[in-house]
Amino acid sequence: MAKKTKKTEVETTPQVLEPKVETKVVEEPLPKKKKDTWEIKDRVYTLVGGRSPLSKSIRASNIYYFDEEKGYERELKYCSNQKTSFVDEMHGDQRLEHIIFRNGVLAVPRNKVTLQKLLSLYHPHKNKVYDEVNTVKEAINEIDVLEMEIAALNAAQSIDIDMAEAVMRVELGSKVSKMSSKELKRDLLLYAKKNPGLFLELVNDENVQLRNFGIKATEMGVLKLSSDQRTFSWGSNDRKLMNVPFDEHPYSALAAWFKTDEGMEIYSNIEKRLN
């Protein structure tokens, strides 16, 4: 008889599956390209100081620009067959072009961007030999001048004859005394239009009328100014009124003296005699 064999059960440990950990790969964003803010338009460049020679050349090669971003100097060259003025970015042969101002002006059309950028952004002679014409800025300046001119003309229309005489005496001197009121008004308006800034400055200068008052008093013999222009005295008796400080204009000094206590009394006295 065959012998039965007893099966032995082997205990098995249940397999524990480890969870899979997924590693996420974070991609770094690509550096953003700088937005090109260059405006495509015609540009005009002029020589500084209003110079206008028949022709004036500026360097188109052997010039350098310090690139802050790259941290080193880069050579510049203007070549008509290249899309850049930076030599380290050029490809192929380089056909050098001259940069010439005619009668003090260089007009660069909108399609010549390479030359425009060289002149506007990189060329070392900018603001030294030439400037770019800023039409917006010039328009704003023109508006300022026009507004000042209007203000000056309005002031010229409204000021009285004594003030008009005081202002014009600065420009015309003793000739003012012989002018009619119509002539004075005409010249006042022309002066305000021609020199609006100076005109408004004179109108707002409190000493202008006092200087004019002193000049009129001298012209009419009420006051007398010594030949060395250092002393004012009464015209009637030569009694000294004041000494003019060194290096001061006599009538400016007299105007300032009229504001003192003693000067105010003399001013009132002179005013009575003139009237």
Side-chain angles (χ1 to χ4, degrees):
M1 247 178 110
K3 196 173 182 179
K4 290 182 179 180
T5 56
K6 189 179 180 181
K7 287 183 180 179
T8 57
E9 292 183 1
V10 180
E11 291 184 3
T12 58
T13 306
Q15 190 175 2
V16 179
L17 295 175
E18 294 183 2
K20 287 184 179 180
V21 179
E22 291 184 4
T23 305
K24 287 186 179 181
V25 178
V26 180
E27 294 184 1
E28 292 186 7
L30 293 172
K32 289 183 179 179
K33 287 185 177 180
K34 281 188 176 179
K35 187 178 178 182
D36 190 354
T37 57
W38 181 260
E39 182 182 357
I40 304 296
K41 65 175 184 178
D42 297 334
R43 295 172 189 269
V44 177
Y45 305 87
T46 56
L47 296 177
V48 298
R51 292 180 298 134
S52 55
L54 288 176
S55 67
K56 166 70 177 175
S57 297
I58 64 170
R59 283 186 182 180
S61 62
N62 294 321
I63 48 179
Y64 295 85
Y65 168 77
F66 182 76
D67 192 321
E68 295 279 353
E69 200 171 292
K70 296 183 182 294
Y72 57 83
E73 274 192 329
R74 302 174 69 188
E75 186 180 358
L76 296 164
K77 189 185 290 185
Y78 175 52
C79 301
S80 59
N81 65 325
Q82 296 288 339
K83 295 180 180 179
T84 177
S85 56
F86 288 108
V87 174
D88 56 17
E89 293 178 354
M90 291 182 179
H91 302 286
D93 65 320
Q94 301 167 6
R95 292 201 291 272
L96 188 66
E97 284 282 329
H98 295 292
I99 303 174
I100 303 174
F101 286 73
R102 305 285 184 188
N103 296 313
V105 178
L106 173 59
V108 184
R110 66 199 304 272
N111 62 310
K112 292 196 173 184
V113 175
T114 302
L115 177 55
Q116 286 188 357
K117 285 188 174 182
L118 173 61
L119 292 170
S120 297
L121 303 177
Y122 311 125
H123 204 292
H125 289 170
K126 188 189 177 189
N127 299 328
K128 296 175 183 175
V129 175
Y130 69 90
D131 287 316
E132 180 178 352
V133 175
N134 187 332
T135 52
V136 175
K137 186 177 179 181
E138 288 197 353
I140 291 171
N141 289 341
E142 283 181 15
I143 290 171
D144 289 342
V145 170
L146 288 171
E147 287 178 345
M148 186 182 292
E149 189 176 302
I150 291 168
L153 288 169
N154 286 336
Q157 284 280 25
S158 60
I159 63 177
D160 59 37
I161 196 68
D162 288 335
M163 187 62 182
E165 184 182 302
V167 171
M168 290 311 299
R169 194 178 290 278
V170 175
E171 176 72 5
L172 303 174
S174 59
K175 181 183 174 183
V176 170
S177 303
K178 300 174 183 177
M179 294 173 71
S180 67
S181 58
K182 289 286 186 183
E183 289 174 324
L184 188 59
K185 195 71 174 180
R186 177 203 62 201
D187 285 9
L188 184 75
L189 288 167
L190 290 173
Y191 184 61
K193 183 177 174 61
K194 185 180 177 182
N195 300 291
L198 179 57
F199 177 83
L200 290 171
E201 188 179 319
L202 290 171
V203 168
N204 294 315
D205 183 356
E206 61 181 6
N207 285 337
V208 167
Q209 276 191 294
L210 291 174
R211 282 199 298 269
N212 183 55
F213 182 83
I215 292 169
K216 281 178 68 176
T218 305
E219 286 178 350
M220 296 179 71
V222 178
L223 293 181
K224 184 187 291 184
L225 177 61
S226 62
S227 57
D228 62 0
Q229 299 199 327
R230 299 269 53 92
T231 306
F232 278 101
S233 56
W234 284 116
S236 56
N237 56 20
D238 289 334
R239 184 167 66 86
K240 187 173 74 173
L241 293 174
M242 67 160 290
N243 289 321
V244 177
F246 183 70
D247 275 350
E248 277 196 38
H249 189 280
Y251 290 104
S252 295
L254 181 62
W257 182 72
F258 280 144
K259 295 178 182 178
T260 65
D261 291 340
E262 183 185 1
M264 287 174 72
E265 290 182 17
I266 300 299
Y267 180 92
S268 298
N269 193 322
I270 296 171
E271 194 171 30
K272 290 172 185 175
R273 298 190 188 199
L274 293 178
N275 292 334

